[in-house]
Amino acid sequence: MNYLFKDRLALVWIGLTILTYVSWQLSAWRQQEIQVDLAVSMTVIVLAVIKARFVLRIFMEIGHASRWLHILSDVWVVGLPIALLVALTW
Amino acid sequence: MSKSLQDILLGSVPVVGLIWIAAFLVFPGITPMSPQMTAADVASFYSDPDNATNVRYSMIVFNWFEIGMVPLYAAIAVLMQRMSHRSGPLSYVYLAATLSSACLFAAANCFWIVAAYRPDRAPEAMQLLSDLGWICFIVPTGFLIAQNLTVAFAVYLDKQVTPVFPTWVGHFNILAALAFVPAAFAATSLEGPLAWDGALSFDLRIWSFAIYNLVMFLVAWNARHRMLEEGEPA
Amino acid sequence: MTASPPPIPSGYLAKIAWHWRHNPKADLWIAWFSIPIAYNIMGICYFTLTHMMPPPTATKSQAEVVEFLTSFSDQIRVGFGVMMISLGFLVWANGLIGWLIMRMQVPYAKAWGLAYMVAMCGGSLTGAYMSGFTLSLAAMRPDRDPEYSQLLYDVTYLSFDGTMGFFLFGSLIWTVVILTDKSRIFPKWFGYTCIWNFTTEFLVSTAMITQDGPFAWDGTIAFYIDTVVYIFWQIIYAIVLFYAIRRVDVPMDGFRRARSGNVPQAQPEIGASLAPQAT
Amino acid sequence: MASKSPDSPLEMSEAEAARIERHDENPLDGIWIFIVGDLFIFGSYFVTYALWRHWYSEEFIASQQVLSQGFGIFNTLVLLASSWFVAAAIRAQRAGDYDAAGRLTLLTMGWGLTFVVSKLTEWVIKIREGYTFTSDMFFQFYYFMTGVHILHVLFGMLALLRLYVEVKDPVCRNNDTAESCAAFWHMVDLLWLVIFALMYLMR
């Protein structure tokens, strides 16, 4: 089972778990007053996209795919939060 | 296998054709209902006991035999596989195209049966059912056209020394396809030749369908018997 | 029969005539050309004349439905007339695809191909024919009892969405055969794009529950995104089919053998061994 | 098979002949196109969700409170772990340790199954509480997104099964196919990360 610790895989997994915990705490931060909070929303989304990017690069090794798809995946990672920000302030 | 049994498939076609014609004569469809009839007219048409009886019995007969032309089309599809592009897609296309026409005929049949079943329904509902029946009966010619053009292409591409069908069958199929075109527009007008009781939508469509089936039956019969004489496996 | 044919002429019409007479895959190309032609005619009718795409909202009141039917009555009826004719040619596309599936190196390839053909032809029956009948009927008599007009209106758009089962299975069959095929008639990545179509067909189902919002039959998700995916996929599919026809090694029957004497890359001696039935 | 003919110039062992007959060089190539396309299709769903959420923010916020974040966190951790395991399985496969690769794949499938079960439990609990697809717009999006996602999870399970077969089959195994299967599973994971943020965490 030492393959679980190869290539910093375990490290990445711990990082992703910590990010999940952070974004959860961030969301539960002001549980009493339930209201729309764009700053929290965007932070949570950006954290999710950062996690997605880690999955794409380290777990999924999208660098092995062709250059175009690699670039497109980065476009997605950058474009999604921007598109969501636009939608949330439309 | 005895010789008479060999012809059972194609032999059933003229029998079914005659039954269709008989049922058609019983059905008041020989003089189709005008699309201009009001809802009250349509309701009184179906509540007239004579009409209702005629519709019911002719529709039952049609229901029994609605799929009866398919042996002819299947036989033509098999003959198409003997043409020079033997295993090409055209014969499958032909067979698939026949499916839809038969199904929509069945749908029209069903709507008419429902209309005649409870004629004391609200007149608006009677008119709706009758409309649905007529439109399912007259309008869906796209698949017939595809069917005809498929045979036409297959015949034109058949470059054997003795082709399965003579070339004029190709021309004839193109002609039949053209004859079916106006019926597709039957919904565009309530009167005139394009309405569903008009000369172009009704008479031309019905007659060309009848003649088409008759001619294709004769052609298929000939082709098959020529092949049997030449000793090809049946 | 083996006389070598003339070289391909340069004129546009002359080229078509040459292919008609000498191309060994003439029947396949005829079937292929029905795809761009029929789909474009249908698409134009759907978008400009019949108001099937983009669909009007499901929340229309009965009076609004009547008004809609009255104002677009002629467009709808003429549009569906054209549609009814062009529809038949979809069978050619389905037949071609089914036939190509039969050529694949898959267990039961022939059955897969037939299953595909039947599934897709059934789809055009409910999706295009039924919706065409009901909407043109409704448009034919806009003075009908508004309740029945609304009924026909609902039947139209719901039966239009109700094709999902047919197309779902069609694309599922396609996905399975392309992914298990070893002959590579279609590229593997195309098999995956069929999953997109499969999934979007699946998702139309929400339109049968909701009347308003993104999941209604005119909604962003149930209609617009699905349609964009579908059209994108349709374009890919026409292109992929084009190359598949080029690539497919047709069984050499008399017709194709006689014709392929002229095509430089054909190998008559292999063809002869593949065609025991040709005399 | 040409290889079996006695006068073939190539000497081929039985195993090699079997391999040529059965082996399809990476039957899953081109999966990257699917993955990137899928990301964009899901992206369009996410943007639609954000728009509606913006327009009906009160309603969405109120319904969002009903979801239990516990399930969300649990599912996220399960999928992250599954991604970790399948990445390790690929490392093992590359190193030629097929036993370990098989074991890791099975464990990944276990994680996947856990996710499916937990997701269905969550659904059942919500439906029992009376929140169904027709309840309101938020729940329409909730059931829709999680439903599409679980469809992908099920496809992903098939991919993992393929990966397992691949690993266990000494004739056909190859790294490309294994990577393709794993990539599909990672996509399932990363889509969930965004769905989790949008559905459970957003404020």
Side-chain angles (χ1 to χ4, degrees):
Chain A
M1 285 299 145
N2 52 358
Y3 296 104
L4 284 171
F5 304 98
K6 263 190 120 181
D7 292 355
R8 292 175 296 154
L9 285 181
L11 215 59
V12 172
W13 179 74
I14 291 169
L16 289 173
T17 310
I18 291 170
L19 280 182
T20 307
Y21 180 76
V22 167
S23 52
W24 176 37
Q25 285 305 309
L26 212 62
S27 162
W29 179 31
R30 285 186 295 185
Q31 192 78 327
Q32 285 78 9
E33 33 183 315
I34 303 144
Q35 56 182 345
V36 181
D37 192 333
L38 190 66
V40 170
S41 299
M42 284 318 292
T43 318
V44 165
I45 288 169
V46 169
L47 282 179
V49 167
I50 290 172
K51 286 195 283 182
R53 159 104 181 156
F54 268 107
V55 173
L56 276 168
R57 292 313 300 266
I58 301 199
F59 283 170
M60 208 163 165
E61 302 170 286
I62 196 152
H64 287 197
S66 83
R67 204 177 142 67
W68 273 109
L69 300 170
H70 180 186
I71 291 171
L72 273 176
S73 79
D74 278 350
V75 167
W76 187 81
V77 165
V78 178
L80 185 68
I82 297 173
L84 288 175
L85 178 65
V86 171
L88 285 172
T89 52
W90 191 259
Chain B
M1 196 186 285
S2 79
K3 201 156 171 24
S4 57
L5 279 177
Q6 283 189 344
D7 293 330
I8 232 173
L9 180 89
L10 273 179
S12 74
V13 172
V15 179
V16 173
L18 286 176
I19 293 171
W20 274 24
I21 291 171
F24 192 65
L25 290 176
V26 174
F27 180 59
I30 191 73
T31 50
M33 293 164 71
S34 163
Q36 284 168 291
M37 283 165 87
T38 61
D41 287 347
V42 174
S44 65
F45 172 87
Y46 281 102
S47 38
D48 179 349
D50 286 351
N51 285 336
T53 313
N54 281 354
V55 171
R56 277 178 205 145
Y57 291 113
S58 65
M59 281 307 129
I60 288 172
V61 176
F62 269 133
N63 200 306
W64 285 339
F65 294 100
E66 63 202 359
I67 201 79
M69 279 297 153
V70 162
L72 171 63
Y73 302 142
I76 293 175
V78 170
L79 285 170
M80 281 168 77
Q81 292 186 341
R82 306 267 167 134
M83 293 182 184
S84 46
H85 48 81
R86 274 186 171 74
S87 45
L90 287 181
S91 66
Y92 294 109
V93 171
Y94 183 82
L95 205 56
T98 60
L99 164 84
S100 196
S101 321
C103 288
L104 288 167
F105 183 35
N109 177 283
C110 190
F111 287 125
W112 281 321
I113 288 176
V114 175
Y117 187 68
R118 253 191 247 284
D120 52 344
R121 228 179 275 274
E124 291 279 352
M126 294 300 293
Q127 191 188 31
L128 179 64
L129 287 170
S130 169
D131 282 357
L132 275 171
W134 277 104
I135 207 137
C136 286
F137 181 62
I138 295 289
V139 170
T141 51
F143 278 62
L144 280 174
I145 293 171
Q147 200 179 323
N148 296 349
L149 291 184
T150 313
V151 183
F153 278 127
V155 170
Y156 290 144
L157 290 173
D158 192 7
K159 294 280 162 53
Q160 294 172 109
V161 182
T162 47
V164 176
F165 289 161
T167 315
W168 65 262
V169 176
H171 304 324
F172 173 74
N173 271 282
I174 298 266
L175 211 68
L178 288 177
F180 289 138
V181 167
F185 293 90
T188 50
S189 59
L190 292 174
E191 53 184 335
L194 264 187
W196 70 52
D197 64 338
L200 282 176
S201 294
F202 185 79
D203 298 279
L204 183 63
R205 182 197 195 288
I206 297 296
W207 281 109
S208 41
F209 186 69
I211 294 170
Y212 174 76
N213 279 340
L214 178 67
V215 171
M216 287 315 281
F217 165 69
L218 293 174
V219 169
W221 182 273
N222 273 343
R224 183 180 153 76
H225 280 260
R226 204 194 62 236
M227 281 182 174
L228 285 179
E229 277 161 29
E230 286 168 5
E232 281 203 40
Chain C
M1 272 184 83
T2 47
S4 87
I8 303 178
S10 58
Y12 196 67
L13 281 175
K15 241 182 204 163
I16 294 175
W18 184 92
H19 281 290
W20 170 254
R21 263 183 236 120
H22 305 293
N23 192 324
K25 293 175 180 174
D27 51 343
L28 305 184
W29 288 116
I30 288 169
W32 185 81
F33 271 101
S34 75
I35 295 174
I37 295 171
Y39 275 98
N40 274 315
I41 292 175
M42 280 183 63
I44 290 167
C45 279
Y46 267 153
F47 275 100
T48 60
L49 291 174
T50 62
H51 294 265
M52 291 298 288
M53 282 180 176
T57 166
T59 51
K60 274 189 199 301
S61 69
Q62 290 184 355
E64 282 168 336
V65 169
V66 172
E67 194 198 319
F68 163 77
L69 292 174
T70 320
S71 50
F72 299 118
S73 174
D74 292 335
Q75 288 185 25
I76 289 173
R77 290 185 288 164
V78 172
F80 274 117
V82 178
M83 267 257 327
M84 289 295 156
I85 294 172
S86 57
L87 251 182
F89 298 94
L90 299 190
V91 189
W92 284 9
N94 298 338
L96 173 67
I97 295 164
W99 184 81
L100 284 171
I101 291 175
M102 292 180 196
R103 300 271 88 69
M104 286 179 174
Q105 236 180 303
V106 181
Y108 293 109
K110 200 160 181 176
W112 283 110
L114 286 173
Y116 179 86
M117 261 183 234
V118 173
M120 295 303 274
C121 289
S124 57
L125 204 66
T126 59
Y129 267 136
M130 275 322 282
S131 57
F133 293 152
T134 46
L135 196 61
S136 49
L137 255 190
M140 198 170 146
R141 291 190 215 277
D143 53 338
R144 204 189 285 278
D145 184 346
E147 206 168 315
Y148 288 113
S149 288
Q150 196 185 34
L151 173 73
L152 288 172
Y153 180 80
D154 288 352
V155 171
T156 303
Y157 292 102
L158 287 180
S159 72
F160 183 57
D161 287 344
T163 47
M164 48 184 190
F166 297 94
F167 288 93
L168 196 154
F169 259 82
S171 13
L172 193 58
I173 289 169
W174 217 349
T175 313
V176 172
V177 292
I178 293 176
L179 292 185
T180 49
D181 172 33
K182 286 206 239 163
S183 67
R184 301 268 174 144
I185 291 178
F186 294 104
K188 293 283 174 189
W189 59 265
F190 179 64
Y192 292 103
T193 60
C194 293
I195 299 184
W196 291 339
N197 191 45
F198 164 79
T199 318
T200 50
E201 291 295 341
F202 214 60
L203 305 182
V204 180
S205 53
T206 56
M208 295 173 183
I209 303 173
T210 57
Q211 295 181 6
D212 199 9
F215 301 103
W217 75 47
D218 63 329
T220 320
I221 286 178
F223 176 75
Y224 286 95
I225 294 177
D226 280 6
T227 309
V228 167
V229 173
Y230 178 72
I231 291 175
F232 179 65
W233 181 73
Q234 196 77 62
I235 294 168
I236 298 179
Y237 132 176
I239 296 168
V240 166
L241 268 182
F242 181 89
Y243 287 103
I245 295 177
R246 279 196 166 178
R247 201 176 307 142
V248 68
D249 186 25
V250 291
M252 288 288 173
D253 45 51
F255 169 71
R256 292 187 221 278
R257 198 174 33 161
R259 286 178 169 219
S260 59
N262 359 312
V263 182
Q265 66 268 35
Q267 295 158 312
E269 64 279 350
I270 290 175
S273 69
L274 281 171
Q277 82 274 48
T279 45
Chain D
M1 285 296 301
S3 61
K4 281 178 185 155
S5 86
D7 52 3
S8 164
L10 291 170
E11 283 296 317
M12 217 180 269
S13 70
E14 199 80 341
E16 273 173 311
R19 181 181 151 80
I20 283 181
E21 192 159 352
R22 281 174 50 210
H23 178 64
D24 185 5
E25 175 211 343
N26 191 7
L28 300 179
D29 75 358
I31 200 164
W32 296 107
I33 294 176
F34 174 77
I35 287 173
V36 173
D38 227 40
L39 290 184
F40 278 90
I41 292 174
F42 264 93
S44 65
Y45 295 153
F46 297 152
V47 171
T48 318
Y49 169 78
L51 275 175
W52 253 267
R53 191 196 149 88
H54 178 52
W55 290 334
Y56 300 94
S57 45
E58 243 79 290
E59 189 188 321
F60 271 61
I61 281 279
S63 299
Q64 209 180 349
Q65 298 305 310
V66 175
L67 293 187
S68 61
Q69 289 197 331
F71 268 115
I73 293 280
F74 177 71
N75 286 338
T76 311
L77 293 182
V78 164
L79 276 190
L80 281 178
S82 75
S83 243
W84 177 28
F85 274 60
V86 80
I90 294 300
R91 297 320 190 268
Q93 159 119 358
R94 283 204 200 118
D97 188 351
Y98 295 108
D99 284 343
R103 238 176 297 131
L104 284 165
T105 312
L106 276 186
L107 287 172
T108 312
M109 289 173 81
W111 287 121
L113 210 62
T114 315
F115 178 85
V116 172
V117 169
S118 125
K119 190 82 244 165
L120 291 180
T121 317
E122 190 186 349
W123 273 8
V124 169
I125 290 173
K126 285 286 156 282
I127 291 170
R128 285 257 176 82
E129 288 172 8
Y131 301 103
T132 57
F133 184 77
T134 44
S135 293
D136 66 16
M137 198 59 88
F138 176 78
F139 276 99
Q140 284 185 16
F141 273 105
Y142 168 74
Y143 284 110
F144 173 81
M145 296 254 220
T146 50
V148 182
H149 181 256
I150 212 159
L151 203 68
H152 281 74
V153 173
L154 294 177
F155 268 113
M157 295 292 275
L158 284 181
L160 288 178
L161 191 68
R162 181 74 179 80
L163 175 57
Y164 186 69
V165 170
E166 189 80 23
V167 166
K168 284 289 153 196
D169 187 339
V171 175
C172 296
R173 61 169 73 120
N174 78 40
N175 290 350
D176 289 346
T177 311
E179 280 172 20
S180 299
C181 295
F184 191 98
W185 188 257
H186 291 308
M187 181 196 75
V188 168
D189 175 27
L190 87 88
L191 287 175
W192 174 257
L193 294 178
V194 181
I195 292 175
F196 172 61
L198 288 178
M199 287 280 161
Y200 294 81
L201 298 183
M202 236 166 100
R203 282 288 165 256

